[in-house]
Amino acid sequence: MLDNLALGFATATTVSNLLYCFLGTFLGTFIGVLPGLGPLAAVAMLLPVSFYLPPETALVMLAGVYYGAEYGGSIASILLNIPGTPSSSITCLDGYPMAREGRAGVALLVTALASFFGGVFGILVIAALAPLLADFALLLEPADYFAVMLLGLVAASVVSSSGTLRGVMMVTLGVLLGTIGVDVNSGATRFTGGVQDLRDGINLVVVAMGLFGVSEAMFSARGASASYAMEKVSWQRFLPMRGEWLRCLGPALRGSLIGSFFGTLPGTGQTVASSIGYAVEKRVSPNRANFGKGAIEGVVVPESANNAAAQTAFIPTLTLGIPGSTTMALMIGALMIHGVTPGPRLISDHPALFWGLIVSFLFGNLFLLVLNIPLIGIWVRLLRIPHYFLYPTIVVLISIGVYSLDHSLFDVWTMLGFGLLGYVLRLYRYEPAPLLIGFILGPMMEEYLRRAMLLSRGDPMIFLQRPGSAVMIAISVLLLVLTALPGLKRLVKSIG
């Protein structure tokens, strides 16, 4: 492994590779901050630039754009409750309440450090276990994926701060919304009401922007003169309190582990990693009561999971040729444009490219840290802009971002509709986060359920015959029983 890392360092530390790595992280962060745009748009915009570069340099730059955009998405999530990327929507849940308490600088600093920690953890996982993890990912079958997704949904329901029953209702609503569109197996349309624009379903960005961004703008209209900015921006105000440093270590480690695991699974990616990481942390954290109200752990977990998954997502992409996301599919396209075929032989046929790219992740994460910590003061000053100027501008920007997805006005109206829904849900104390998690995990769970049933020829026992899926289902049932137990006891007492 040391020889491979030495080769990687020799490739990554050339002047041109370092320069393009820096350029990629800078441009990626900038694009990621803009609401509605994300890593897919950022990589797509800069892909033509890579045509004129050597393969190693092209991949290093595009990878920098990718994880730079993932980091940039969290800045708008914390400051404005508007997720810059789908995976950073989970960061809204506690990052924005921290900003409202005047702790935006702390949230941004913790985000930068957690992202760096998760990124470095993911790099170490790739360096040590890339071939093994690629083989392990191949061993998992649809029944295992289904069971993992089910556990994520159950965890999101039972830890909802608005109550388990409301959490289940929100998750169910999210799953139902995720079924809208054409069924890829039968070709039948579901719940479209005859609207042609719904045949492809509802875009995740549309839902996330509406539920969090537009609904926040509506709430701000009730108190337009309010300002959440700190009176004085100083470095002391950016630092977490003494006890909080220790509280961040466990969540950062758990988030990195979860992110590294889900990053290696084709078809899951950062959004699933940050969703499940948040749900698990909310269950195990001693500070769980403060989740959703500005808990620092609620920022650390999704950011470390998100960035760890962003790094390990390259394992199935490079070693199996299976993209874990649309952005990774673009990466495969970039590789093939340069005459490199991803797959099991990539590491042996192109060791300089593979290990150079892995080592460049380390420099890219360092660049992110160096770039963004000095900029925290500038980002925080955004909050000083009066809300009656800021939020209308943001609504226009996210409308442009949503329109740019498919050049569809229908998407913009749908986003505004979800904004109204998010506003009503918040008025009646229904947490929108479980809805979003259900919307993300529901369609994937349905897909893996069908695959598993096809493979077992319709025998549902497949979910209990495989050890991995059986354990996950058992944990899900146990969580539900433990959560329902106090209510059942109260019911029995009242009857007795």
Side-chain angles (χ1 to χ4, degrees), residues 24-192:
T25 51
F26 174 76
L27 292 175
T29 305
F30 181 75
I31 296 172
V33 170
L34 300 176
L37 302 178
L40 178 61
V43 173
M45 278 191 273
L46 293 170
L47 184 61
V49 177
S50 72
F51 295 167
Y52 308 99
L53 300 174
E56 294 85 1
T57 310
L59 262 290
V60 164
M61 185 193 76
L62 291 176
V65 171
Y66 170 58
Y67 50 76
E70 287 290 349
Y71 173 77
S74 61
I75 295 172
S77 299
I78 290 169
L79 296 180
L80 305 168
N81 203 22
I82 297 169
T85 61
S87 58
S88 62
S89 55
I90 305 300
T91 309
C92 289
L93 306 179
D94 282 283
Y96 184 63
M98 287 182 73
R100 294 186 63 164
E101 293 169 2
R103 305 189 73 208
V106 176
L108 288 171
L109 179 66
V110 166
T111 295
L113 294 174
S115 295
F116 180 74
F117 184 89
V120 172
F121 191 94
I123 294 164
L124 293 175
V125 168
I126 295 178
L129 303 172
L132 290 176
L133 285 174
D135 293 340
F136 173 72
L138 282 178
L139 293 175
L140 294 177
E141 292 191 0
D144 304 313
Y145 283 101
F146 169 82
V148 171
M149 304 285 169
L150 179 67
L151 178 59
L153 285 185
V154 170
S157 304
V158 300
V159 299
S160 172
S161 62
S162 55
T164 302
L165 183 59
R166 291 184 178 208
V168 171
M169 290 169 66
M170 288 294 95
V171 165
T172 306
L173 180 59
V175 171
L176 289 175
L177 287 170
T179 61
I180 291 175
V182 174
D183 181 354
V184 292
N185 292 292
S186 65
T189 53
R190 301 185 300 190
F191 310 120
T192 61

Side-chain angles (χ1 to χ4, degrees), residues 110-372:
V110 166
T111 295
L113 294 174
S115 295
F116 180 74
F117 184 89
V120 172
F121 191 94
I123 294 164
L124 293 175
V125 168
I126 295 178
L129 303 172
L132 290 176
L133 285 174
D135 293 340
F136 173 72
L138 282 178
L139 293 175
L140 294 177
E141 292 191 0
D144 304 313
Y145 283 101
F146 169 82
V148 171
M149 304 285 169
L150 179 67
L151 178 59
L153 285 185
V154 170
S157 304
V158 300
V159 299
S160 172
S161 62
S162 55
T164 302
L165 183 59
R166 291 184 178 208
V168 171
M169 290 169 66
M170 288 294 95
V171 165
T172 306
L173 180 59
V175 171
L176 289 175
L177 287 170
T179 61
I180 291 175
V182 174
D183 181 354
V184 292
N185 292 292
S186 65
T189 53
R190 301 185 300 190
F191 310 120
T192 61
V195 179
Q196 289 297 312
D197 292 293
L198 287 175
R199 284 177 61 83
D200 292 331
I202 306 172
N203 194 301
L204 172 59
V205 175
V206 171
V207 178
M209 290 293 166
L211 281 180
F212 293 98
V214 177
S215 70
E216 184 56 39
M218 289 179 176
F219 258 84
S220 73
R222 304 171 74 191
S225 60
S227 173
Y228 308 131
M230 294 184 249
E231 291 181 1
K232 185 179 178 182
V233 177
S234 65
W235 275 104
Q236 287 76 19
R237 300 293 299 272
F238 295 163
L239 298 175
M241 290 180 279
R242 190 178 299 173
E244 289 181 328
W245 286 109
L246 284 176
R247 279 167 46 195
C248 291
L249 285 177
L253 192 58
R254 283 189 284 274
S256 301
L257 279 168
I258 291 170
S260 299
F261 174 72
F262 279 99
T264 59
L265 303 184
T268 52
Q270 300 95 292
T271 309
V272 173
S274 55
S275 303
I276 292 186
Y278 186 85
V280 170
E281 188 63 32
K282 200 171 175 181
R283 186 71 193 173
V284 302
S285 172
N287 194 33
R288 72 189 76 168
N290 287 327
F291 271 61
K293 303 171 186 170
I296 199 165
E297 298 92 336
V299 176
V300 172
V301 162
E303 285 304 314
S304 54
N306 174 5
N307 226 34
Q311 312 299 326
T312 54
F314 281 89
I315 292 177
T317 303
L318 297 179
T319 61
L320 302 178
I322 303 172
S325 64
T326 319
T327 314
M328 285 293 109
L330 275 182
M331 288 288 180
I332 288 183
L335 275 172
M336 298 182 78
I337 286 168
H338 287 280
V340 179
T341 304
R345 293 184 61 82
L346 185 139
I347 298 177
S348 56
D349 291 350
H350 304 279
L353 185 145
F354 181 82
W355 293 107
L357 183 63
I358 301 305
V359 174
S360 80
F361 294 165
L362 181 62
F363 289 101
N365 278 280
L366 276 172
F367 289 147
L368 278 179
L369 205 60
V370 172
L371 266 173
N372 285 289

